[in-house]
Amino acid sequence: MSAGRDKRIVVAIDGPAGAGKSTVAQRLAQALGYVLLDTGAIYRAVALAAVRAGTAWEDELGVAALTEALTARAGLRLESAPEIGGKGVRVWLDGEDVSTAIRTPHISLGASIVSSVPRVRAALLDLQRALGAEGGVVAEGRDIGTVVFPRAEVKFFLTASVAIRSERRYEELAASGQLTDFDQVRSDVELRDRRDSERAVAPLRQAADAILIDSSAREVDAIVSELKDAVLRWSG
Ligand code: DC
């Protein structure tokens, strides 16, 4: 495939929680006129669906069956909605708007658990690929450049130190009125990192052809403009 002017490509952004992926992905999508594909929201919705169904997150067979049934009935929908703030993504679970309900620390933990189930990941692949099929997307997650869109034209792996990521997460929770203590946040971040990196299927890792960006000591604006330049070098 050759680069062409105005080609609308797939941009993959992977990295651990709190590396600034959400903000950067959202701002990059906006700058390019692309759609943001927030794949974490999909795993979060599955975790919430399990709670609603009374299925324990650790019940791998139960969660797998639930996810397969959910995708089979097209019960999970994502919609771009910049007006709602936050990630600017509206998430529908069986017709119910769960955009807010999926953004709690409890559901973060659940998403991390259910996302380690191979059948859950497999069941969600088609949905993610369909959402990116037309190009013109910035897809954000953990395995976008390695598994979901291994042929994405431009890939980034965004990371930052554990201390910085915990601080950001703490501030984010405080800003949304969810008070918690810093040590708890830091140990949650470490736990999620371990789970995301050590799972057997699609672990969090940098694709060989991804550009590594360390956001620890950098302003968001500078990162977004670096990413945008890299995308435009490819696409036009
Ligand atoms: O990005 P996030 O915090 O919303 O993601 C929630 C959880 O989902 C996180 O623990 C990792 C998992 N996840 C994943 O396994 N693969 C993705 N592509 C996106 C998220």
Side-chain angles (χ1 to χ4, degrees):
M1 215 188 298
S2 67
R5 201 152 277 280
D6 296 335
K7 186 166 163 30
R8 292 170 65 77
I9 64 171
V10 173
V11 179
I13 305 187
D14 291 304
K21 268 183 310 168
S22 304
T23 312
V24 166
Q26 205 174 344
R27 295 263 306 272
L28 180 65
Q30 208 170 22
L32 295 168
Y34 279 22
V35 169
L36 173 70
L37 170 50
D38 171 14
T39 60
I42 298 174
Y43 289 96
R44 287 170 179 274
V46 168
L48 181 65
V51 172
R52 298 275 166 87
T55 303
W57 294 325
E58 292 78 8
D59 172 3
E60 297 198 6
L61 286 179
V63 171
L66 175 145
T67 310
E68 285 160 4
L70 188 62
T71 54
R73 66 174 181 269
L76 204 51
R77 281 202 304 117
L78 260 63
E79 187 180 81
S80 186
E83 72 281 2
I84 66 172
K87 289 254 197 162
V89 176
R90 207 183 287 283
V91 182
W92 299 92
L93 180 62
D94 289 325
E96 179 193 346
D97 181 352
V98 295
S99 316
T100 310
I102 60 169
R103 305 282 173 204
T104 66
H106 185 58
I107 294 297
S108 296
L109 179 66
S112 159
I113 296 171
V114 300
S115 65
S116 66
V117 180
R119 264 174 66 196
V120 168
R121 304 198 70 86
L124 297 173
L125 266 184
D126 284 351
L127 172 66
Q128 296 175 78
R129 288 183 177 149
L131 290 167
E134 305 287 309
V137 293
V138 175
E140 178 215 326
R142 304 293 191 285
D143 61 340
I144 305 302
T146 50
V147 176
V148 181
F149 296 115
R151 303 184 63 181
E153 287 87 346
V154 184
K155 302 177 184 176
F156 300 102
F157 192 85
L158 195 63
T159 189
S161 68
V162 170
I164 296 271
R165 293 191 288 116
S166 306
E167 258 169 51
R168 288 179 184 156
R169 185 72 188 130
Y170 178 78
E171 277 160 24
E172 200 177 280
L173 288 170
S176 67
Q178 303 180 62
L179 291 181
T180 171
D181 73 85
F182 180 75
D183 290 342
Q184 181 62 47
V185 172
R186 190 179 168 122
S187 73
D188 283 355
V189 166
E190 286 171 341
L191 177 68
R192 278 222 282 165
D193 277 3
R194 257 200 314 279
R195 225 196 302 268
D196 292 350
S197 317
E198 290 173 5
R199 66 173 173 240
V201 173
L204 172 66
R205 67 178 171 81
Q206 185 183 346
D209 52 351
I211 301 168
L212 177 66
I213 311 268
D214 187 330
S215 73
S216 302
R218 297 186 60 190
E219 296 293 332
V220 171
D221 281 350
I223 299 173
V224 172
S225 96
E226 180 183 341
L227 268 53
K228 186 178 171 205
D229 288 347
V231 173
L232 293 180
R233 264 199 305 280
W234 203 99
S235 67

